[in-house]
Amino acid sequence: MFSKHREIFKFLSLVLVVLITPLLVHEGYLLNVLIFVGIHTILSLALNLLLGYAGQISLGQAGFFGLGAYISGILTTTHAINPWIAMLAAATIVTTLAFFVGFPILKLKGHYLAMATLGLGIIIYIVFNEAVDRTGGPSGLSGIPNLSIAGYTFNTDLKNYYLIWTFTLVAMGLSLNLVHSRIGRALRAIHDSEVAARVMGVNARVLKVQIFALSAGLSAIAGSLYAHTMTFIAPASFGFNFSVELVTMVIIGGLASIYGSLLGAALLTVLPEMLRAFQDYDIIVYGLLLVLMTMFMPGGLVKGIPELFTSIRARATRKVKTDA
Amino acid sequence: MLEVRNLTQRFGGITALEDISFNVTKGEITGVIGPNGAGKTTLFNIVTGIYAQTSGTVHLEGKDISALPAEMLAAKGLVRTFQNIELFGNMTVLENVMLGLHTQSRSGILSCMFKAPWHLKEERNIREIASEWLEFCDITDLADQKASNLPFGKGRMLEIARAMAVRPSIMLMDEPAAGLNNRETAELATLIRKIRDKGVTVVLVEHDMELVMDICDRIIVLNLGRKLAEGTPREIQENQAVISAYLGEG
Ligand SMILES: Nc1ncnc2c1ncn2[C@@H]1O[C@H](COP(=O)(O)OP(=O)(O)OP(=O)(O)O)[C@@H](O)[C@H]1O
Ligand SMILES: [Mg+2]
């Protein structure tokens, strides 16, 4: 019961931080970075459900993100459909697609699964580039309308900040509920011992596919939000590099941790902004970060930082004792 | 209760089981013994749907379960423990047992995400029943420990608690005494009897002969994939073929 209260307290603190941050950060550029942190958090959250909890890799997440963006973009520009309906359509289509693709793909394990999802992501990316008359090809799709509610349009950085973070917080809350439920337990069980989970009656095959579909659908919603906030999309944002970046966010933040997804997304969004000089070498920096993290903080930031503090404190007390 | 008929299993060139047939009587503790590599674990893997047999059938309470995959069997009342303990290491002891109640709960992804009222009620219910099984196996004090931190003996108890949570009619146990000290083995014997008294039929693979002879009603002996003998503990102890198989091995 105590830990339940602590969970609620932790979440409410986060809500508070999200609410007041814009009071401290006025600059449009910084708000923009924070908008990306929100979108990336949804994406790494979606991947973490699959990778961190169920233990199944996907290197095609950027593809689902892109599909969400393009479905929303095309429906609202070419077909003049309401953005909210377009978002709903994007989520539904991508979830369904991933569900059916998931059955054959998730039979694969380990490297094979990585290769298959990688291939899927690349195919989707090629479609964005080649279906020029629908997607605009490499030069992208512009003029995507902002979202609006009853005449109130989300057309400034500040408004979009609150819009995106509302989605992010809801996604985090729902994910927290999910991972602490019987489904979350079943996912973690599949991760730890698939054979024992099956013997206990968990239909591992179907559950993996369902989570894959959920993960894809959530990524599509993030894609749709991205399209309506940026009003312009191009294939370059949805390539293989970005899929790798998302895996890096999840691992650096902490596998099987909802708050870890936020930390990983925040770090990997803010860091490149600070290290502009590294622009062309970003994939090397991510690779290096991954190697260092797995060596020194295998539990990710979310476990590593508290451990660091305890070990520093332990060392300090030891020092006090020897001094005395 | 459990009928195994003409079961054969080949792995490439190796014949792990050849034409095995036997019946397990409801309410009894049936022992399955045999030297290393006799095919005992393979037998369990086939019965529990983890491997598909080369030929032969398995019936549970008269129904053919030969082709059913592992995940379908829990709901039919068949459950097992593993020779190399298979716990959910990153989950707490209580959560491990709660997973045993998976087939007795229904909430789907959406009701879990949105904390539907029936889901919350179900969750409370599961937690309560799981606690009772911890108590049954005498590991209540470990409820909040991470399963991977448990000492070996307690891990074995947790596996049993988790299996009992499935509410099985038959439980297959693969060498539950392996790695236990004398005191723990004695506790295990008491626990297995308690399980039998709850109406659960037990099939026990075990190398600890003292334990097997002590608690089993019937014993089946496998050797090199074939059934060597079957009978009461006394009959097995006096069986010449069994004695020479064990002496020949060791
Ligand atoms: N998946 C597999 N692939 C190939 N051979 C296997 C496989 N599983 C078991 N075997 C072989 O089948 C035979 C029987 O093995 P099994 O594990 O069933 O023996 P066991 O009676 O449980 O032995 P132990 O007492 O050592 O646990 C062995 O020769 C083993 O090498
Ligand atoms: Mg064995």
Side-chain angles (χ1 to χ4, degrees):
Chain A
M1 288 304 117
F2 173 64
S3 73
K4 203 183 232 168
H5 287 152
R6 212 168 54 180
E7 278 294 317
I8 294 173
F9 177 76
K10 216 155 79 174
F11 190 73
L12 289 182
S13 320
L14 175 66
V15 173
L16 199 67
V17 170
V18 167
L19 280 176
I20 59 172
T21 301
L23 302 180
L24 313 169
V25 177
H26 299 294
E27 205 192 327
Y29 163 70
L30 284 180
L31 270 181
N32 228 309
V33 172
L34 290 176
I35 286 174
F36 273 100
V37 172
I39 292 175
H40 291 168
T41 299
I42 300 178
L43 289 169
S44 60
L45 200 60
L47 178 58
N48 211 341
L49 291 176
L50 187 69
L51 179 60
Y53 287 92
Q56 310 299 309
I57 183 94
S58 168
L59 287 177
Q61 294 299 104
F64 299 129
F65 175 53
L67 275 179
Y70 271 100
I71 293 172
S72 238
I74 293 169
L75 287 181
T76 47
T77 53
T78 318
H79 303 278
I81 286 172
N82 176 294
W84 292 109
I85 309 239
M87 183 186 289
L88 195 65
T92 314
I93 293 170
V94 175
T95 307
T96 316
L97 178 83
F99 187 76
F100 287 109
V101 175
F103 270 99
I105 281 193
L106 286 154
K107 275 190 192 150
L108 306 170
K109 290 192 195 310
H111 302 313
Y112 298 102
L113 179 62
M115 293 313 276
T117 49
L118 171 70
L120 185 64
I122 290 178
I123 292 171
I124 296 172
Y125 176 72
I126 290 175
V127 171
F128 296 155
N129 269 306
E130 299 302 318
V132 180
D133 43 341
R134 295 203 156 266
T135 64
S139 51
L141 191 68
S142 56
I144 302 168
N146 287 123
L147 286 155
S148 58
I149 301 175
Y152 182 88
T153 307
F154 294 92
N155 53 4
T156 66
D157 286 335
L158 188 65
K159 288 176 186 169
N160 276 316
Y161 169 90
Y162 281 114
L163 172 74
I164 300 283
W165 276 96
T166 305
F167 272 86
T168 307
L169 290 173
V170 169
M172 286 182 75
L174 294 181
S175 302
L176 281 167
N177 289 347
L178 184 68
V179 301
H180 289 121
S181 72
R182 80 186 268 274
I183 301 287
R185 282 192 297 274
L187 290 174
R188 285 179 285 150
I190 292 174
H191 194 174
D192 288 349
S193 169
E194 182 164 342
V195 70
R198 291 179 61 207
V199 166
M200 295 296 126
V202 174
N203 194 331
R205 199 164 74 92
V206 171
L207 190 56
K208 280 193 239 173
V209 174
Q210 286 176 325
I211 289 302
F212 183 65
L214 176 71
S215 172
L218 199 54
S219 305
I221 292 177
S224 174
L225 285 171
Y226 172 82
H228 293 298
T229 344
M230 298 300 138
T231 70
F232 168 77
I233 54 177
S237 316
F238 312 114
F240 166 64
N241 274 17
F242 189 55
S243 286
V244 174
E245 202 178 321
L246 288 173
V247 173
T248 317
M249 284 179 199
V250 170
I251 294 178
I252 286 187
L255 286 164
S257 163
I258 303 298
Y259 291 98
S261 295
L262 171 64
L263 280 182
L267 186 76
L268 279 207
T269 312
V270 174
L271 201 65
E273 295 296 328
M274 293 180 354
L275 305 174
R276 282 280 167 163
F278 286 102
Q279 199 97 81
D280 293 333
Y281 303 100
D282 53 350
I283 201 105
I284 298 176
V285 175
Y286 297 146
L288 210 63
L289 265 177
L290 263 182
V291 174
L292 290 177
M293 283 302 286
T294 33
M295 279 170 72
F296 298 111
M297 274 192 194
L301 289 177
V302 80
K303 287 219 186 76
I305 293 175
E307 271 168 19
L308 203 66
F309 275 116
T310 29
S311 78
I312 289 172
R313 205 177 306 150
R315 205 167 293 169
T317 43
R318 214 178 308 141
K319 184 143 195 311
V320 170
K321 271 188 195 141
T322 47
D323 285 352
Chain B
M1 172 94 212
L2 184 74
E3 282 174 58
V4 172
R5 286 190 214 139
N6 309 108
L7 206 60
T8 297
Q9 177 71 347
R10 294 199 184 85
F11 296 110
I14 306 168
T15 303
L17 290 175
E18 178 140 34
D19 202 26
I20 302 287
S21 299
F22 64 88
N23 286 342
V24 171
T25 313
K26 203 179 184 99
E28 285 193 349
I29 301 177
T30 303
V32 177
I33 62 172
N36 293 110
K40 306 178 295 291
T41 300
T42 305
L43 175 68
F44 274 15
N45 282 339
I46 294 171
V47 172
T48 53
I50 292 164
Y51 292 163
Q53 65 272 37
T54 312
S55 63
T57 58
V58 181
H59 286 74
L60 181 67
E61 313 223 52
K63 287 189 209 91
D64 191 349
I65 57 162
S66 315
L68 292 185
E71 57 267 22
M72 303 286 284
L73 292 169
K76 300 211 177 297
L78 178 84
V79 75
R80 72 175 285 187
T81 66
F82 296 85
Q83 184 171 349
N84 309 306
I85 307 185
E86 294 277 349
L87 291 174
F88 308 124
N90 289 311
M91 293 160 55
T92 67
V93 166
L94 181 65
E95 285 177 323
N96 266 266
V97 181
M98 285 169 85
L99 194 101
L101 291 143
H102 190 81
T103 53
Q104 293 158 61
S105 45
R106 286 280 158 271
S107 303
I109 292 182
L110 289 180
S111 26
C112 287
M113 282 182 119
F114 291 95
K115 284 206 172 170
W118 60 87
H119 161 249
L120 293 178
K121 194 172 150 219
E122 189 176 79
E123 189 77 4
R124 267 198 304 277
N125 210 9
I126 290 176
R127 188 172 291 270
E128 208 165 290
I129 300 173
S131 310
E132 285 166 19
W133 288 116
L134 287 184
E135 186 128 9
F136 182 80
C137 293
D138 201 18
I139 46 174
T140 303
D141 48 329
L142 300 172
D144 296 326
Q145 297 272 328
K146 211 171 129 183
S148 60
N149 292 340
L150 290 192
F152 196 78
K154 298 296 180 192
R156 288 251 184 246
M157 292 297 148
L158 173 55
E159 245 201 340
I160 295 172
R162 184 180 69 182
M164 283 304 284
V166 174
R167 230 195 304 161
S169 53
I170 181 166
M171 174 165 357
L172 315 186
M173 304 173 99
D174 199 348
E175 301 198 21
L180 300 192
N181 61 32
N182 288 341
R183 188 176 49 79
E184 288 171 331
T185 306
E187 284 169 9
L188 177 71
T190 314
L191 182 60
I192 295 178
R193 286 207 180 87
K194 244 167 77 183
I195 291 170
R196 193 255 329 266
D197 294 344
K198 282 234 167 220
V200 179
T201 307
V202 175
V203 183
L204 176 71
V205 163
E206 197 35 80
H207 279 298
D208 184 332
M209 284 308 139
E210 207 176 316
L211 176 67
V212 171
M213 296 302 165
D214 180 28
I215 66 172
C216 290
D217 299 297
R218 287 185 75 71
I219 295 175
I220 294 154
V221 188
L222 299 183
N223 187 30
L224 301 173
R226 291 168 183 275
K227 188 167 97 177
L228 194 65
E230 180 175 352
T232 62
R234 176 173 288 262
E235 285 163 1
I236 295 300
Q237 272 166 319
E238 290 165 358
N239 187 306
Q240 211 47 53
V242 175
I243 293 167
S244 54
Y246 270 88
L247 288 180
E249 178 217 14

